[in-house]
Each structure stands twice: as C-alpha cells, then as structure tokens.
Coordinates of all heavy atoms in Angstrom, one line a residue:
M1206 N 81.7 167.7 -31.5 CA 81.3 166.5 -30.8 C 79.8 166.6 -30.4 O 79.1 165.6 -30.5 CB 82.1 166.3 -29.5 CG 81.6 165.2 -28.7 SD 83.0 164.2 -28.1 CE 82.1 163.2 -27.0
I1207 N 79.3 167.8 -30.1 CA 77.9 167.9 -29.7 C 77.0 167.6 -30.9 O 76.0 166.9 -30.7 CB 77.7 169.4 -29.2 CG1 78.3 169.5 -27.8 CG2 76.2 169.6 -29.0 CD1 78.3 170.9 -27.2
E1208 N 77.3 168.1 -32.1 CA 76.5 167.9 -33.3 C 76.4 166.4 -33.6 O 75.5 166.0 -34.2 CB 77.0 168.7 -34.4 CG 76.5 170.1 -34.4 CD 75.0 170.3 -34.5 OE1 74.3 169.6 -35.3 OE2 74.5 171.1 -33.8
D1209 N 77.5 165.6 -33.2 CA 77.5 164.2 -33.5 C 76.3 163.5 -32.8 O 75.9 162.4 -33.2 CB 78.8 163.6 -33.0 CG 80.0 164.1 -33.8 OD1 79.8 164.6 -34.9 OD2 81.1 163.9 -33.2
Y1210 N 75.8 164.1 -31.7 CA 74.7 163.5 -31.0 C 73.3 163.8 -31.6 O 72.3 163.2 -31.3 CB 74.7 164.0 -29.5 CG 75.7 163.4 -28.7 CD1 77.0 164.0 -28.5 CD2 75.4 162.2 -27.9 CE1 77.9 163.4 -27.7 CE2 76.4 161.6 -27.1 CZ 77.6 162.2 -27.0 OH 78.5 161.7 -26.1
R1211 N 73.2 164.9 -32.4 CA 71.9 165.4 -32.8 C 71.0 164.3 -33.5 O 69.8 164.1 -33.0 CB 72.0 166.5 -33.8 CG 70.7 167.1 -34.3 CD 70.8 168.1 -35.4 NE 71.5 169.3 -35.0 CZ 71.0 170.4 -34.4 NH1 69.7 170.4 -34.2 NH2 71.7 171.4 -34.1
A1212 N 71.5 163.6 -34.5 CA 70.6 162.6 -35.1 C 70.2 161.5 -34.2 O 69.0 161.1 -34.2 CB 71.4 162.0 -36.3
A1213 N 71.1 161.0 -33.3 CA 70.7 160.0 -32.4 C 69.7 160.5 -31.4 O 68.8 159.7 -31.0 CB 72.0 159.5 -31.7
V1214 N 69.8 161.7 -30.9 CA 68.9 162.2 -29.9 C 67.5 162.4 -30.6 O 66.5 162.1 -30.0 CB 69.4 163.6 -29.4 CG1 68.3 164.2 -28.5 CG2 70.7 163.4 -28.6
E1215 N 67.5 162.9 -31.8 CA 66.2 163.1 -32.5 C 65.5 161.8 -32.8 O 64.3 161.7 -32.6 CB 66.4 163.9 -33.8 CG 66.7 165.4 -33.5 CD 67.1 166.2 -34.7 OE1 67.2 165.6 -35.8 OE2 67.2 167.4 -34.6
L1216 N 66.3 160.8 -33.2 CA 65.7 159.5 -33.4 C 65.2 158.8 -32.1 O 64.1 158.3 -32.1 CB 66.8 158.5 -34.0 CG 66.3 157.1 -34.3 CD1 65.1 157.0 -35.2 CD2 67.5 156.3 -34.8
A1217 N 66.0 158.9 -31.0 CA 65.5 158.4 -29.7 C 64.3 159.1 -29.2 O 63.4 158.5 -28.7 CB 66.6 158.5 -28.7
T1218 N 64.2 160.4 -29.4 CA 63.0 161.2 -29.0 C 61.8 160.8 -29.8 O 60.7 160.6 -29.3 CB 63.3 162.7 -29.1 OG1 64.5 163.0 -28.4 CG2 62.1 163.5 -28.6
Q1219 N 62.0 160.6 -31.2 CA 60.9 160.2 -32.0 C 60.4 158.8 -31.6 O 59.2 158.5 -31.6 CB 61.3 160.2 -33.5 CG 60.2 160.0 -34.4 CD 59.0 161.0 -34.3 OE1 59.3 162.2 -34.1 NE2 57.8 160.5 -34.4
N1220 N 61.4 157.9 -31.3 CA 61.0 156.5 -30.9 C 60.2 156.5 -29.6 O 59.3 155.8 -29.5 CB 62.3 155.7 -30.8 CG 62.9 155.3 -32.1 OD1 62.3 155.4 -33.1 ND2 64.1 154.9 -32.0
A1221 N 60.6 157.4 -28.7 CA 59.8 157.5 -27.4 C 58.4 158.0 -27.7 O 57.5 157.5 -27.1 CB 60.6 158.5 -26.5
L1222 N 58.3 159.0 -28.6 CA 56.9 159.5 -28.9 C 56.1 158.4 -29.6 O 54.9 158.2 -29.3 CB 57.0 160.7 -29.9 CG 57.2 162.0 -29.3 CD1 57.5 163.1 -30.3 CD2 56.0 162.4 -28.5
Q1223 N 56.7 157.6 -30.5 CA 56.0 156.6 -31.1 C 55.6 155.5 -30.2 O 54.5 154.9 -30.3 CB 56.8 156.0 -32.3 CG 56.9 156.9 -33.5 CD 57.8 156.4 -34.6 OE1 58.7 155.6 -34.3 NE2 57.7 157.0 -35.7
A1224 N 56.4 155.2 -29.2 CA 56.1 154.2 -28.2 C 54.9 154.7 -27.3 O 54.0 153.9 -27.0 CB 57.3 153.9 -27.3
A1225 N 54.9 156.0 -27.0 CA 53.8 156.5 -26.3 C 52.5 156.5 -27.1 O 51.4 156.1 -26.6 CB 54.1 158.0 -25.8
E1226 N 52.6 156.8 -28.4 CA 51.4 156.8 -29.3 C 50.9 155.4 -29.4 O 49.7 155.2 -29.6 CB 51.8 157.4 -30.6 CG 52.0 158.9 -30.6 CD 52.6 159.5 -31.8 OE1 53.1 158.7 -32.7 OE2 52.6 160.7 -32.0
A1227 N 51.7 154.4 -29.4 CA 51.3 153.0 -29.5 C 50.4 152.5 -28.4 O 49.7 151.5 -28.5 CB 52.5 152.1 -29.7
T1228 N 50.4 153.2 -27.3 CA 49.6 152.9 -26.1 C 48.2 153.5 -26.1 O 47.4 153.2 -25.3 CB 50.3 153.2 -24.8 OG1 50.4 154.6 -24.7 CG2 51.7 152.6 -24.7
L1229 N 48.0 154.4 -27.1 CA 46.8 155.2 -27.1 C 45.6 154.4 -27.6 O 45.7 153.5 -28.4 CB 46.9 156.4 -28.1 CG 48.0 157.4 -27.7 CD1 48.1 158.5 -28.8 CD2 47.6 158.1 -26.3
G1230 N 44.4 154.7 -27.1 CA 43.2 154.1 -27.5 C 42.6 154.8 -28.7 O 43.1 155.9 -29.1
D1231 N 41.5 154.3 -29.2 CA 40.9 154.9 -30.4 C 40.4 156.4 -30.0 O 39.9 156.6 -28.9 CB 39.6 154.1 -30.8 CG 40.0 152.9 -31.5 OD1 41.1 152.8 -32.0 OD2 39.1 152.0 -31.5
G1232 N 40.7 157.3 -30.8 CA 40.3 158.7 -30.6 C 41.2 159.5 -29.6 O 40.9 160.6 -29.3
E1233 N 42.3 158.9 -29.2 CA 43.2 159.6 -28.3 C 44.4 160.1 -29.1 O 44.7 159.6 -30.1 CB 43.7 158.6 -27.2 CG 42.6 158.3 -26.2 CD 43.1 157.4 -25.1 OE1 44.0 156.6 -25.3 OE2 42.7 157.5 -23.9
R1234 N 45.1 161.1 -28.5 CA 46.3 161.6 -29.0 C 47.2 162.0 -27.9 O 46.8 162.1 -26.7 CB 46.0 162.9 -29.9 CG 45.3 164.0 -29.1 CD 45.1 165.2 -29.9 NE 44.4 166.2 -29.1 CZ 44.9 167.1 -28.2 NH1 46.2 167.0 -28.0 NH2 44.2 167.9 -27.6
I1235 N 48.5 162.3 -28.2 CA 49.4 162.8 -27.2 C 49.1 164.3 -27.0 O 49.2 165.0 -28.0 CB 50.9 162.6 -27.6 CG1 51.2 161.1 -27.8 CG2 51.8 163.3 -26.6 CD1 51.2 160.3 -26.5
A1236 N 48.7 164.7 -25.8 CA 48.3 166.1 -25.6 C 49.6 166.9 -25.2 O 49.7 168.0 -25.6 CB 47.3 166.2 -24.5
S1237 N 50.4 166.3 -24.4 CA 51.6 167.0 -24.0 C 52.6 166.0 -23.4 O 52.3 164.9 -23.0 CB 51.3 168.0 -22.9 OG 50.8 167.4 -21.7
A1238 N 53.9 166.4 -23.4 CA 54.9 165.7 -22.8 C 55.1 166.3 -21.4 O 55.1 167.5 -21.2 CB 56.2 165.9 -23.6
L1239 N 55.1 165.4 -20.4 CA 55.2 165.9 -19.0 C 56.6 165.8 -18.4 O 57.0 166.7 -17.6 CB 54.3 165.0 -18.1 CG 52.8 164.9 -18.5 CD1 52.0 164.0 -17.6 CD2 52.2 166.3 -18.5
S1240 N 57.4 164.8 -18.9 CA 58.7 164.6 -18.3 C 59.6 164.0 -19.4 O 59.2 163.1 -20.1 CB 58.7 163.7 -17.1 OG 60.0 163.5 -16.6
L1241 N 60.8 164.5 -19.5 CA 61.8 164.0 -20.5 C 63.1 163.8 -19.8 O 63.6 164.7 -19.2 CB 61.9 165.1 -21.6 CG 63.0 164.9 -22.7 CD1 62.6 163.7 -23.6 CD2 63.2 166.1 -23.5
T1242 N 63.6 162.6 -19.9 CA 65.0 162.3 -19.4 C 65.8 161.8 -20.5 O 65.5 160.9 -21.2 CB 64.9 161.3 -18.3 OG1 64.0 161.7 -17.3 CG2 66.3 161.0 -17.7
V1243 N 67.0 162.5 -20.7 CA 67.9 162.1 -21.8 C 69.2 161.6 -21.1 O 69.9 162.3 -20.4 CB 68.2 163.4 -22.6 CG1 69.2 163.0 -23.8 CG2 67.0 164.0 -23.2
Y1244 N 69.4 160.3 -21.4 CA 70.6 159.6 -20.9 C 71.7 159.7 -22.0 O 71.5 159.2 -23.1 CB 70.3 158.2 -20.5 CG 69.3 158.1 -19.4 CD1 68.0 157.9 -19.7 CD2 69.7 158.1 -18.1 CE1 67.0 157.8 -18.7 CE2 68.7 158.0 -17.1 CZ 67.4 157.9 -17.4 OH 66.4 157.8 -16.4
I1245 N 72.9 160.2 -21.6 CA 73.9 160.4 -22.6 C 75.1 159.6 -22.3 O 75.7 159.7 -21.2 CB 74.3 161.9 -22.7 CG1 73.1 162.7 -23.1 CG2 75.4 162.1 -23.7 CD1 72.9 164.0 -22.3
N1246 N 75.5 158.7 -23.2 CA 76.7 157.9 -23.1 C 77.9 158.8 -23.4 O 78.2 159.1 -24.5 CB 76.6 156.7 -24.1 CG 77.7 155.7 -23.9 OD1 78.7 156.0 -23.2 ND2 77.6 154.6 -24.5
A1247 N 78.5 159.3 -22.3 CA 79.6 160.3 -22.5 C 80.8 159.9 -21.7 O 80.7 159.2 -20.6 CB 79.0 161.6 -22.0
P1248 N 81.9 160.3 -22.1 CA 83.2 160.0 -21.4 C 83.3 160.8 -20.1 O 82.6 161.8 -19.9 CB 84.3 160.5 -22.4 CG 83.6 161.5 -23.3 CD 82.2 161.1 -23.4
A1249 N 84.1 160.3 -19.2 CA 84.3 161.0 -17.9 C 84.7 162.5 -18.2 O 85.5 162.7 -19.1 CB 85.4 160.3 -17.1
G1250 N 84.2 163.4 -17.4 CA 84.6 164.8 -17.5 C 83.8 165.5 -18.6 O 83.9 166.8 -18.7
Y1251 N 82.9 164.9 -19.3 CA 82.1 165.6 -20.3 C 81.1 166.5 -19.6 O 80.5 166.1 -18.6 CB 81.3 164.5 -21.2 CG 80.7 165.1 -22.4 CD1 81.4 165.5 -23.5 CD2 79.3 165.3 -22.4 CE1 80.8 166.0 -24.6 CE2 78.7 165.9 -23.5 CZ 79.5 166.3 -24.6 OH 78.9 166.8 -25.7
A1252 N 80.9 167.7 -20.1 CA 80.0 168.6 -19.4 C 78.9 169.3 -20.2 O 78.4 170.3 -19.8 CB 80.9 169.7 -18.8
H1253 N 78.6 168.7 -21.4 CA 77.6 169.4 -22.2 C 76.3 168.6 -22.3 O 75.6 168.7 -23.4 CB 78.2 169.6 -23.6 CG 79.5 170.4 -23.6 ND1 79.5 171.8 -23.4 CD2 80.8 170.1 -23.7 CE1 80.7 172.2 -23.4 NE2 81.5 171.2 -23.5
H1254 N 76.0 167.9 -21.3 CA 74.7 167.1 -21.3 C 73.5 167.9 -21.6 O 72.6 167.5 -22.4 CB 74.6 166.4 -20.0 CG 75.7 165.6 -19.6 ND1 76.8 166.1 -18.9 CD2 76.1 164.3 -19.8 CE1 77.7 165.2 -18.7 NE2 77.3 164.0 -19.2
A1255 N 73.4 169.1 -21.0 CA 72.2 169.9 -21.2 C 72.1 170.4 -22.7 O 71.0 170.4 -23.2 CB 72.2 171.1 -20.3
T1256 N 73.2 170.7 -23.3 CA 73.2 171.1 -24.7 C 72.7 170.0 -25.6 O 71.9 170.2 -26.5 CB 74.6 171.6 -25.1 OG1 75.0 172.6 -24.2 CG2 74.6 172.0 -26.5
I1257 N 73.1 168.7 -25.3 CA 72.6 167.6 -26.1 C 71.1 167.3 -25.8 O 70.4 167.0 -26.7 CB 73.5 166.4 -25.7 CG1 74.9 166.6 -26.3 CG2 72.9 165.1 -26.3 CD1 75.9 165.6 -25.9
A1258 N 70.7 167.5 -24.6 CA 69.3 167.3 -24.3 C 68.4 168.4 -25.0 O 67.2 168.1 -25.2 CB 69.1 167.3 -22.8
D1259 N 69.0 169.5 -25.3 CA 68.3 170.5 -26.0 C 67.8 170.0 -27.3 O 66.7 170.4 -27.8 CB 69.1 171.8 -26.3 CG 69.3 172.6 -25.0 OD1 68.6 172.5 -24.0 OD2 70.3 173.4 -25.0
F1260 N 68.5 169.1 -28.0 CA 68.1 168.5 -29.2 C 66.7 167.8 -29.0 O 65.8 167.9 -29.9 CB 69.1 167.5 -29.8 CG 70.4 168.2 -30.2 CD1 71.6 167.5 -29.9 CD2 70.5 169.4 -30.8 CE1 72.8 168.0 -30.3 CE2 71.7 170.0 -31.2 CZ 72.9 169.3 -30.9
A1261 N 66.6 167.1 -27.9 CA 65.4 166.3 -27.6 C 64.2 167.3 -27.4 O 63.1 167.1 -27.9 CB 65.6 165.4 -26.4
S1262 N 64.5 168.4 -26.6 CA 63.5 169.4 -26.3 C 63.0 170.0 -27.6 O 61.8 170.2 -27.8 CB 64.0 170.5 -25.4 OG 64.3 169.9 -24.1
R1263 N 63.9 170.4 -28.5 CA 63.5 171.0 -29.8 C 62.7 170.1 -30.6 O 61.8 170.5 -31.3 CB 64.8 171.5 -30.5 CG 65.4 172.7 -29.9 CD 66.5 173.3 -30.8 NE 67.4 174.0 -29.9 CZ 68.7 173.7 -29.7 NH1 69.2 172.7 -30.4 NH2 69.4 174.5 -28.9
H1264 N 63.1 168.8 -30.6 CA 62.3 167.8 -31.4 C 60.9 167.7 -30.9 O 59.9 167.7 -31.6 CB 63.0 166.5 -31.4 CG 62.4 165.5 -32.4 ND1 62.6 165.6 -33.7 CD2 61.6 164.5 -32.2 CE1 61.9 164.6 -34.3 NE2 61.3 163.9 -33.4
L1265 N 60.8 167.6 -29.6 CA 59.4 167.6 -29.0 C 58.6 168.8 -29.3 O 57.4 168.7 -29.6 CB 59.5 167.4 -27.4 CG 59.7 166.0 -26.9 CD1 59.8 166.1 -25.4 CD2 58.6 165.1 -27.3
E1266 N 59.3 169.9 -29.2 CA 58.6 171.2 -29.5 C 58.1 171.2 -31.0 O 57.0 171.7 -31.2 CB 59.6 172.3 -29.4 CG 59.1 173.7 -29.3 CD 60.1 174.7 -28.9 OE1 61.3 174.6 -29.3 OE2 59.7 175.6 -28.1
S1267 N 58.8 170.6 -31.9 CA 58.4 170.6 -33.3 C 57.2 169.6 -33.5 O 56.3 169.7 -34.3 CB 59.5 170.3 -34.2 OG 60.0 168.9 -34.1
C1268 N 57.2 168.5 -32.7 CA 56.2 167.5 -32.8 C 54.9 167.8 -32.0 O 53.8 167.4 -32.4 CB 56.7 166.1 -32.3 SG 58.0 165.4 -33.3
L1269 N 55.1 168.5 -30.9 CA 54.0 168.9 -30.1 C 54.0 170.4 -29.9 O 54.2 170.9 -28.8 CB 54.1 168.2 -28.7 CG 54.1 166.7 -28.7 CD1 54.5 166.1 -27.4 CD2 52.8 166.1 -29.2
P1270 N 53.7 171.2 -30.9 CA 53.9 172.6 -30.9 C 53.0 173.4 -29.9 O 53.3 174.5 -29.5 CB 53.7 173.1 -32.3 CG 52.9 172.0 -33.0 CD 53.3 170.8 -32.3
E1271 N 51.9 172.8 -29.6 CA 50.9 173.5 -28.7 C 51.2 173.1 -27.2 O 50.5 173.5 -26.3 CB 49.5 173.2 -29.1 CG 49.3 173.8 -30.5 CD 47.8 173.6 -31.0 OE1 47.0 173.3 -30.2 OE2 47.6 173.8 -32.2
S1272 N 52.1 172.2 -27.0 CA 52.4 171.7 -25.6 C 53.6 172.5 -25.0 O 54.6 172.7 -25.7 CB 52.7 170.2 -25.7 OG 53.2 169.8 -24.4
P1273 N 53.5 172.8 -23.8 CA 54.7 173.4 -23.1 C 55.8 172.4 -23.0 O 55.5 171.2 -23.0 CB 54.2 173.9 -21.8 CG 53.0 173.1 -21.5 CD 52.4 172.7 -22.8
L1274 N 57.0 172.8 -23.0 CA 58.1 171.9 -22.8 C 58.0 171.2 -21.5 O 57.6 171.8 -20.5 CB 59.5 172.6 -22.9 CG 59.8 173.1 -24.3 CD1 61.1 173.9 -24.3 CD2 60.0 171.9 -25.2
P1275 N 58.4 169.9 -21.4 CA 58.2 169.2 -20.2 C 59.4 169.5 -19.2 O 60.4 170.1 -19.6 CB 58.3 167.7 -20.6 CG 59.2 167.8 -21.8 CD 58.8 169.1 -22.5
A1276 N 59.2 169.0 -18.0 CA 60.3 169.0 -17.0 C 61.4 168.1 -17.7 O 61.1 167.1 -18.3 CB 59.9 168.4 -15.7
R1277 N 62.7 168.4 -17.5 CA 63.7 167.7 -18.2 C 64.9 167.4 -17.3 O 65.3 168.2 -16.5 CB 64.1 168.5 -19.4 CG 65.1 167.7 -20.3 CD 65.6 168.6 -21.4 NE 66.8 169.4 -21.0 CZ 67.4 170.3 -21.7 NH1 66.9 170.5 -22.9 NH2 68.4 170.9 -21.2
A1278 N 65.5 166.3 -17.5 CA 66.8 165.9 -16.9 C 67.7 165.4 -18.0 O 67.3 164.7 -18.9 CB 66.6 164.9 -15.8
A1279 N 69.0 165.8 -17.9 CA 70.0 165.3 -18.8 C 71.0 164.6 -17.9 O 71.6 165.2 -16.9 CB 70.7 166.5 -19.5
V1280 N 71.3 163.3 -18.1 CA 72.1 162.5 -17.3 C 73.2 161.9 -18.1 O 73.0 161.2 -19.1 CB 71.2 161.4 -16.6 CG1 72.0 160.5 -15.7 CG2 70.0 162.0 -15.9
G1281 N 74.4 162.1 -17.6 CA 75.6 161.4 -18.2 C 75.8 160.0 -17.6 O 75.7 159.9 -16.4
V1282 N 76.0 159.0 -18.4 CA 76.2 157.7 -18.0 C 77.5 157.1 -18.6 O 77.9 157.5 -19.7 CB 75.0 156.8 -18.2 CG1 73.8 157.3 -17.4 CG2 74.7 156.7 -19.7
A1283 N 78.0 156.1 -18.0 CA 79.3 155.4 -18.5 C 79.0 154.5 -19.7 O 79.8 154.3 -20.6 CB 80.0 154.7 -17.4
S1284 N 77.7 154.0 -19.7 CA 77.4 153.1 -20.9 C 75.8 153.0 -20.9 O 75.1 153.3 -19.9 CB 78.0 151.7 -20.7 OG 77.4 151.0 -19.6
L1285 N 75.4 152.6 -22.1 CA 73.9 152.3 -22.3 C 73.8 150.9 -23.0 O 74.7 150.5 -23.6 CB 73.3 153.4 -23.2 CG 73.1 154.8 -22.5 CD1 72.8 155.8 -23.5 CD2 72.1 154.7 -21.4
P1286 N 72.6 150.3 -22.9 CA 72.4 149.0 -23.5 C 72.7 149.1 -25.0 O 72.4 150.1 -25.7 CB 70.9 148.7 -23.3 CG 70.6 149.5 -22.1 CD 71.4 150.8 -22.1
G1287 N 73.4 148.1 -25.5 CA 73.8 148.0 -26.9 C 74.8 149.1 -27.3 O 74.9 149.4 -28.5
D1288 N 75.5 149.7 -26.3 CA 76.4 150.7 -26.6 C 75.8 151.9 -27.3 O 76.5 152.6 -28.1 CB 77.7 150.2 -27.3 CG 78.9 151.1 -27.1 OD1 79.0 151.7 -26.0 OD2 79.7 151.1 -28.0
A1289 N 74.5 152.2 -27.0 CA 73.8 153.3 -27.6 C 74.5 154.6 -27.2 O 75.1 154.7 -26.1 CB 72.4 153.3 -27.2
V1290 N 74.4 155.6 -28.0 CA 74.9 156.9 -27.7 C 74.0 157.7 -26.8 O 74.4 158.4 -25.9 CB 75.0 157.7 -29.0 CG1 75.5 159.1 -28.8 CG2 76.0 157.0 -30.0
V1291 N 72.7 157.4 -26.9 CA 71.7 158.2 -26.1 C 70.5 157.3 -25.9 O 70.2 156.5 -26.7 CB 71.4 159.5 -26.8 CG1 70.6 159.3 -28.1 CG2 70.6 160.4 -25.9
E1292 N 69.8 157.6 -24.8 CA 68.5 156.9 -24.6 C 67.5 158.0 -24.0 O 68.0 158.8 -23.2 CB 68.6 155.8 -23.6 CG 67.3 155.0 -23.3 CD 67.6 153.8 -22.5 OE1 68.5 153.0 -22.8 OE2 66.8 153.5 -21.6
V1293 N 66.3 158.0 -24.5 CA 65.3 159.0 -24.1 C 64.1 158.3 -23.4 O 63.6 157.3 -23.9 CB 64.8 159.8 -25.3 CG1 63.7 160.7 -24.9 CG2 66.0 160.6 -25.9
A1294 N 63.8 158.8 -22.2 CA 62.6 158.4 -21.5 C 61.6 159.5 -21.5 O 62.0 160.7 -21.2 CB 62.9 158.0 -20.0
L1295 N 60.4 159.2 -21.8 CA 59.3 160.2 -22.0 C 58.1 159.8 -21.2 O 57.6 158.7 -21.3 CB 59.0 160.4 -23.5 CG 57.9 161.4 -23.8 CD1 58.3 162.8 -23.5 CD2 57.6 161.2 -25.3
V1296 N 57.5 160.8 -20.5 CA 56.2 160.6 -19.9 C 55.3 161.6 -20.5 O 55.6 162.8 -20.6 CB 56.2 160.8 -18.3 CG1 54.8 160.7 -17.7 CG2 57.2 159.9 -17.6
A1297 N 54.2 161.1 -21.1 CA 53.3 161.9 -21.9 C 51.9 161.8 -21.3 O 51.5 160.8 -20.7 CB 53.3 161.6 -23.3
A1298 N 51.1 162.8 -21.6 CA 49.7 162.8 -21.2 C 48.8 162.7 -22.5 O 49.1 163.3 -23.5 CB 49.3 164.1 -20.5
A1299 N 47.8 161.9 -22.4 CA 46.9 161.6 -23.5 C 45.6 162.5 -23.4 O 45.2 162.9 -22.3 CB 46.5 160.2 -23.6
A1300 N 45.0 162.8 -24.5 CA 43.7 163.5 -24.5 C 42.9 162.9 -25.6 O 43.4 162.3 -26.6 CB 43.9 165.0 -24.7
V1301 N 41.6 163.1 -25.6 CA 40.7 162.7 -26.6 C 40.8 163.7 -27.8 O 40.7 164.9 -27.5 CB 39.2 162.6 -26.1 CG1 38.3 162.2 -27.2 CG2 39.2 161.5 -25.0
N1302 N 40.9 163.2 -29.0 CA 40.9 164.0 -30.2 C 39.6 164.8 -30.2 O 38.5 164.2 -30.1 CB 41.0 163.2 -31.4 CG 42.5 163.0 -31.8 OD1 43.3 163.9 -31.6 ND2 42.8 161.9 -32.5
P1303 N 39.6 166.1 -30.5 CA 38.3 166.8 -30.6 C 37.4 166.3 -31.7 O 36.2 166.3 -31.6 CB 38.8 168.3 -31.0 CG 40.2 168.3 -30.5 CD 40.7 167.0 -30.6
E1304 N 38.0 165.8 -32.8 CA 37.3 165.2 -33.9 C 36.5 164.0 -33.5 O 35.4 163.7 -34.0 CB 38.2 164.8 -35.1 CG 38.9 166.0 -35.7 CD 40.1 166.4 -35.0 OE1 40.8 165.6 -34.4 OE2 40.5 167.6 -35.0
S1305 N 37.0 163.2 -32.5 CA 36.4 162.0 -32.0 C 35.1 162.3 -31.3 O 34.1 161.5 -31.2 CB 37.3 161.3 -31.1 OG 38.4 160.9 -31.7
R1306 N 35.0 163.5 -30.6 CA 33.8 163.9 -29.9 C 32.6 164.2 -30.7 O 31.5 164.2 -30.3 CB 34.2 165.0 -28.9 CG 35.1 164.7 -27.9 CD 35.3 165.8 -27.0 NE 36.3 165.5 -25.9 CZ 36.9 166.3 -25.1 NH1 36.5 167.6 -25.2 NH2 37.7 165.9 -24.2
R1307 N 32.9 164.6 -32.0 CA 31.9 165.1 -32.9 C 31.1 164.0 -33.5 O 30.0 164.2 -34.1 CB 32.5 165.9 -34.0 CG 33.1 167.2 -33.4 CD 33.6 168.1 -34.6 NE 34.4 169.2 -34.0 CZ 35.5 169.6 -34.5 NH1 36.0 169.1 -35.6 NH2 36.2 170.6 -34.0
R1308 N 31.5 162.8 -33.4 CA 30.9 161.6 -34.0 C 29.6 161.2 -33.2 O 29.4 161.3 -32.2 CB 31.8 160.5 -34.1 CG 32.9 160.8 -35.1 CD 33.9 159.7 -35.2 NE 35.0 160.1 -36.1 CZ 36.1 159.5 -36.3 NH1 36.2 158.3 -35.7 NH2 37.0 159.9 -37.0

C-alpha cells in the first residue's frame, strides 16, 4: 500500500516545485525548500504517513541536492479535493542565479 503512493507523491512534489518556479523573476532560482507539508488521503487508523512523506523528501533532495531538507509535516486527512491521494504544500526560498550576476 505504501508504494502505491510513490508516483502520486513525486508528481505532487514536482508540481509544487514548478508552481514555486513559476513565481520567480528573471535570474532567480529556487535556492532551498523551507517547509514541506504532505497531506495524505488515508483511511482511519492508517499510521504510515511519515513513510509516505519520505517520498516527497527524497524527491526534493534529488531536485535540490545542495539544499538541506526542509521542516516537514505529514498529515492524514479523510479526503482531499478531487479525491486526490496526496497534496503537497511547499514553501521555498529564491536566490539570484550566480550566472545572472556576471552579466
């Protein structure tokens, strides 16, 4: 059952990163993830939320290898919009690309 969440968590995490990147100005990049909240649509009594949130942490680690892992919360919920399996909220910090400063 845990592996059933992997693809959805990775996609939701990638979508959160892309949404953050869409807010960047010219010459900016995502420098680090500050906070990650993973909402898991899980049945009553489910107890593996943190393990599922690990998929999101690992995905962030692969996308932002020089950034420390963010503070994280894994939250079980009875339902999500559109009956989604998972939803990811991300707070990220932006920085100016070093290449942009050289121009």
Side-chain angles (χ1 to χ4, degrees):
M1206 174 135 172
I1207 291 172
E1208 279 297 318
D1209 294 342
Y1210 284 92
R1211 180 186 297 272
V1214 172
E1215 290 175 352
L1216 177 62
T1218 305
Q1219 188 61 40
N1220 288 344
L1222 274 171
Q1223 288 175 341
E1226 288 169 348
T1228 68
L1229 297 175
D1231 288 340
E1233 292 183 324
R1234 63 178 174 79
I1235 299 293
S1237 65
L1239 304 176
S1240 176
L1241 174 68
T1242 304
V1243 181
Y1244 298 94
I1245 300 136
N1246 187 347
Y1251 191 76
H1253 301 286
H1254 304 89
T1256 303
I1257 291 171
D1259 286 343
F1260 297 139
S1262 294
R1263 286 188 207 117
H1264 188 75
L1265 277 180
E1266 196 171 38
S1267 71
C1268 293
L1269 302 170
E1271 296 181 18
S1272 172
L1274 287 175
R1277 184 186 86 184
V1280 181
V1282 296
S1284 68
L1285 288 168
D1288 202 28
V1290 174
V1291 67
E1292 185 170 312
V1293 171
L1295 176 68
V1296 177
V1301 176
N1302 270 327
E1304 296 83 31
S1305 299
R1306 292 183 182 169
R1307 294 186 191 138
R1308 293 179 187 173

